[in-house]
Amino acid sequence: MILKQLLAPLQAILAVPYEEQASTLIFLGRLMATEQVRITVFDTTLRDGEQSPGCSMNHQEKLRLAHQLDRLGVDVIEAGFPIASEGDFEAVKAIAAVLRRPIIAGLARACRPDIERAWEALKDAAHPRIHVFLATSDIHLQYKLRITRDQCLAQAREAVAFAKSLCADVEFSPEDATRTEPDFLCKVLEAVVEAGATTLNIPDTVDLISTLRRRVKGIENVTISAHCHNDLGMAVANTMAAIAAGVRQVECTINGIGERAGNAALEEIVMAMRVRRDRYPYETGIVGEHLFPASQMLSEITGASVQPNKAITGRNAFAHEAGIHQDGVLKNPLTYEIMTPQSVGVPDSKLVLGKHSGRHALAIRCEQLGYQFDRRALDDIYRRFVRLADKIKHVEDHHLLELIRDTHKPAASATPLFEPLPTAVAAAANASGHESPRPFPMAQQTTPFGMSLPLPADQHHDQEDYLWGV
């Protein structure tokens, strides 16, 4: 019956004249391409992220960040570990009572007191979820929990069943899943699915997802989730691989904070799917413009600054110092930026004036400060600017103004090499910050005998400007 249903559309296409088949198939292909899979974003900044040394938050700070996560559009907010402390319990309870759109999750070990405490904190939520976890690897069972595999299996089943009696939405995580013997892991997951788990989260996912989808009975009826840590710098890569293997929920944190080397970074996962739709045709509910504000708020609350070269939210993510890059970005930002800064909530790209900067960027910054130079004067300024940048690394505006004044002091008997721009012109230059885009310069063309052919007049000018401006 299922095979007939699958073949019916193809048979219908084959029934039409040959000339119409190609266009019909193209139409169906485009239709299927537009039907993108929705990925649930599970944010654990307030729980796993808070476990990062030095990143703990009090009740009010967690509530404030939870509101920002709601504005960001995350689907699930893991608000904390209610049994851990009175403060964490109160924070989870407050978040559950106030935020009505997202699912609010609370973490609990696979034991009755933890689950009862989690439910007490979550019971006022519009969409509560109890997240139960239990280690399943032999090393954890032997040295940490001191229980057998049979005891682990029974404990997981009973814990999930009890959580299900309190809350319809129950997630189960087999801690240290990648070091768990595969047959036993499948047995535990089957048991918790039978007991009522609605989401199976696989921590530290590498290549387990395909195996589990093949071998765990009933797994097609639950959501598979991935929770990756960054110990080898591959948390986001592993998460994206897990999505390709069938995961439909990703667990992540703002700025990638979390235990040890951190968790998969939410902003990197989301933007990877948006920028590379050809490889990752998936959708999320994340509002990209709130990514940078969320990152900044987290840094302010925890005092943990983002590394400068951090993807998406680092201060250098949209900064350019190399002259060739600056020249390209000034003409068209897409020459060196695969996404706009505004798409992630960053106000604008930033040109950093340093020893690698070119004349084009220097000229633009001088214009923004109210000065305009001819080529000879700018060459003079540029030579001095490079010498200064070699000494102080980054040239700030006050350094540049001092350089301009020292280099060109108008004399009574000489025409100044620069003129302060009218206020309106300076304001316009400051607002736009760049010239209108021009085409990328053409490469020099040659005859079959290797002789150079002249460039068209306009292209020759562009090429000359490009080489001089860098």
Side-chain angles (χ1 to χ4, degrees):
M1 179 62 74
I2 295 175
L3 183 60
K4 285 184 177 180
Q5 290 174 345
L6 292 173
L7 290 175
L10 182 59
Q11 290 171 339
I13 292 170
L14 295 175
V16 302
Y18 177 78
E19 296 76 13
E20 298 178 23
Q21 290 176 14
S23 59
T24 306
L25 287 169
I26 291 171
F27 171 76
L28 287 175
R30 289 175 177 170
L31 183 63
M32 291 173 66
T34 61
E35 294 178 359
Q36 295 188 324
V37 175
R38 177 71 149 71
I39 302 297
T40 297
V41 176
F42 179 113
D43 183 275
T44 185
T45 304
L46 299 175
R47 200 278 299 168
D48 203 337
E50 192 194 21
Q51 292 173 201
S52 182
C55 290
S56 63
M57 294 171 256
N58 62 36
H59 179 155
Q60 290 303 318
E61 289 168 340
K62 291 186 81 166
L63 185 57
R64 180 184 168 207
L65 188 57
H67 278 290
Q68 177 60 34
L69 294 174
D70 188 21
R71 287 190 289 271
L72 181 59
V74 302
D75 302 290
V76 186
I77 298 175
E78 188 166 47
F81 193 179
I83 198 74
S85 70
E86 189 63 30
D88 224 29
F89 172 83
E90 292 298 336
V92 175
K93 188 175 179 64
I95 293 168
V98 172
L99 299 185
R100 313 311 289 171
R101 180 194 61 80
I103 295 169
I104 307 299
L107 188 67
R109 290 169 297 187
C111 59
R112 197 177 189 93
D114 276 40
I115 295 169
E116 288 175 334
R117 191 65 167 162
W119 178 243
E120 184 64 26
L122 293 168
K123 65 182 182 181
D124 293 330
H127 310 287
R129 175 183 295 182
I130 298 176
H131 183 186
V132 178
F133 74 99
L134 179 65
T136 53
S137 67
D138 287 338
I139 191 170
H140 277 249
L141 297 182
Q142 181 179 351
Y143 292 103
K144 187 178 78 172
L145 300 179
R146 301 184 186 280
I147 60 175
T148 66
R149 285 187 179 181
D150 287 344
Q151 289 172 314
C152 171
L153 183 62
Q155 187 174 337
R157 182 189 292 112
E158 291 166 9
V160 169
F162 178 58
K164 187 73 172 183
S165 70
L166 302 173
C167 181
D169 190 357
V170 177
E171 179 169 334
F172 177 78
S173 290
E175 188 183 6
D176 204 24
T178 50
R179 292 194 294 179
T180 302
E181 195 276 320
D183 287 341
F184 179 63
L185 179 61
C186 290
K187 190 180 293 187
V188 171
L189 294 178
E190 280 188 11
V192 297
V193 168
E194 289 175 6
T198 51
T199 298
L200 297 181
N201 176 52
I202 312 302
D204 303 319
T205 304
V206 181
D207 59 358
L208 279 175
I209 302 302
S210 297
T211 300
L212 297 177
R213 289 186 69 195
R214 286 196 311 269
R215 296 181 56 184
V216 176
K217 183 180 178 181
I219 200 168
E220 67 277 6
N221 300 318
V222 302
T223 299
I224 310 174
S225 177
H227 181 113
C228 301
H229 281 262
N230 209 36
D231 300 84
L232 291 173
M234 298 180 69
V236 171
N238 282 336
T239 300
M240 301 311 291
I243 292 172
V247 156
R248 293 298 174 255
Q249 175 179 285
V250 292
E251 305 204 355
C252 43
T253 61
I254 301 298
N255 293 340
I257 68 169
E259 286 276 6
R260 303 184 309 281
N263 291 58
L266 181 151
E267 59 277 2
E268 295 175 28
I269 295 169
V270 169
M271 294 312 295
M273 286 188 276
R274 292 196 180 167
V275 172
R276 293 304 307 272
R277 289 186 186 275
D278 57 322
R279 293 294 302 274
Y280 306 110
Y282 309 106
E283 289 289 347
T284 72
I286 296 298
V287 181
E289 291 76 11
H290 282 290
L291 287 169
F292 186 68
S295 168
Q296 293 290 289
M297 182 182 291
L298 177 62
S299 294
E300 179 210 327
I301 288 173
T302 63
S305 58
V306 181
Q307 66 190 65
N309 62 324
K310 165 77 174 63
I312 316 299
T313 55
R315 74 166 183 263
N316 290 349
F318 296 95
H320 308 272
E321 183 181 330
I324 293 172
H325 286 224
Q326 291 177 334
D327 182 68
V329 167
L330 286 166
K331 291 170 179 172
N332 186 331
L334 294 179
T335 53
Y336 285 102
E337 292 180 353
I338 60 173
M339 68 195 90
T340 66
Q342 293 80 9
S343 69
V344 298
V346 176
D348 207 346
S349 302
K350 180 171 65 174
L351 298 186
V352 178
L353 292 181
K355 68 177 183 179
H356 302 107
S357 299
R359 291 172 181 80
H360 192 175
L362 179 64
I364 291 294
R365 191 64 196 133
C366 288
E367 288 184 15
Q368 291 172 345
L369 293 173
Y371 296 94
Q372 195 171 39
F373 298 93
D374 62 23
R375 282 200 172 193
R376 184 163 62 89
L378 188 62
D379 271 337
D380 193 13
I381 286 283
Y382 181 70
R383 283 191 292 271
R384 295 168 187 259
F385 159 77
V386 171
R387 287 198 295 270
L388 177 62
D390 259 331
K391 296 177 183 177
I392 66 172
K393 297 186 179 179
H394 289 162
V395 179
E396 305 292 346
D397 286 351
H398 65 92
H399 296 131
L400 189 54
L401 287 169
E402 188 176 340
L403 190 67
I404 290 170
R405 296 188 188 102
D406 289 347
T407 304
H408 296 295
K409 295 177 180 177
S413 59
T415 302
L417 293 177
F418 68 94
E419 292 288 346
L421 291 171
T423 304
V425 176
N430 194 49
S432 65
H434 58 79
E435 299 174 355
S436 57
R438 288 184 290 178
F440 193 82
M442 289 175 60
Q444 181 67 49
Q445 303 296 306
T446 60
T447 69
F449 301 98
M451 298 176 62
S452 296
L453 291 173
L455 289 168
D458 57 340
Q459 283 293 329
H460 179 75
H461 179 71
D462 270 352
Q463 179 77 1
E464 184 180 299
D465 280 351
Y466 170 71
L467 294 173
W468 175 80
V470 171

